[in-house]
Amino acid sequence: MDEKSCLMEVHLAWNLVCNTGLNSLFTALAMSNTKLKFIDLAYNFMDISVLHALRRMLEKNTTLKYLSLNDLHRFNERAVESLAPSFAANQSLKMVDLKQVTREFYEYLTAAVNGVGRRGMEPIEFKRDEQFLPSSSAQAAYNLAAQN
């Protein structure tokens, strides 16, 4: 494939991509991509099973500038702790657009990634939906109140 025929953007938002598809995409991008700059995977089905492939892609891919994801709020605290250094280590990434995120998750991830981990590098700009999702404790309180 020559320079003119390389894939530079992938727009797969709202396409019902499941964990198997996301794992395959992240694995391929970790192994062979040298030109892709933009990935929009928002509003697909992502859960903890893609964590390893996502981390590996972030650590290995050196061209990605923009990444849009959703459902990371489903990851537990330990998973987020393991994911933050992978974001921080990626030297090419400039913006991460997080869809469907809780305030706690957003604040933790942005602080962990742009804190100590990116010393000497430009911070990654994190964007999010206008409204935060309710935290799990707030959602539990709402559900309890609705039952009474």
Side-chain angles (χ1 to χ4, degrees), residues 5 14 40 44-45 54 59 61-62 65 73 80 87 94 96 112 114-115 120 127 131 136 147:
S5 62
W14 297 99
D40 185 355
N44 287 294
F45 299 108
L54 174 58
E59 293 164 2
N61 188 288
T62 60
K65 303 246 184 255
H73 68 278
V80 176
F87 273 108
K94 302 294 181 208
V96 176
N114 286 327
K127 297 205 175 266
Q131 298 289 323
S136 55
Q147 290 175 349

Side-chain angles (χ1 to χ4, degrees), residues 28-48:
L29 293 175
M31 293 186 325
S32 61
N33 181 268
T34 60
K35 300 292 178 193
L36 190 68
K37 295 184 183 328
F38 183 103
I39 305 174
D40 185 355
L41 297 171
Y43 305 107
N44 287 294
F45 299 108
M46 184 178 299
D47 68 23
I48 196 77

Side-chain angles (χ1 to χ4, degrees), residues 14-91:
W14 297 99
N15 275 284
L16 305 176
V17 180
C18 66
N19 292 318
T20 303
L22 293 172
N23 270 317
S24 297
L25 178 63
F26 292 149
T27 299
L29 293 175
M31 293 186 325
S32 61
N33 181 268
T34 60
K35 300 292 178 193
L36 190 68
K37 295 184 183 328
F38 183 103
I39 305 174
D40 185 355
L41 297 171
Y43 305 107
N44 287 294
F45 299 108
M46 184 178 299
D47 68 23
I48 196 77
S49 68
V50 303
L51 181 64
H52 178 73
L54 174 58
R55 286 179 50 213
R56 188 168 161 83
M57 185 272 297
L58 288 168
E59 293 164 2
K60 299 284 184 184
N61 188 288
T62 60
T63 61
L64 189 62
K65 303 246 184 255
Y66 175 90
L67 178 62
S68 181
L69 300 168
N70 70 296
D71 286 345
L72 294 181
H73 68 278
R74 294 180 183 183
F75 291 11
N76 63 32
E77 189 173 318
R78 191 164 152 227
V80 176
E81 287 172 1
S82 74
L83 184 58
S86 300
F87 273 108
N90 186 300
Q91 295 183 20

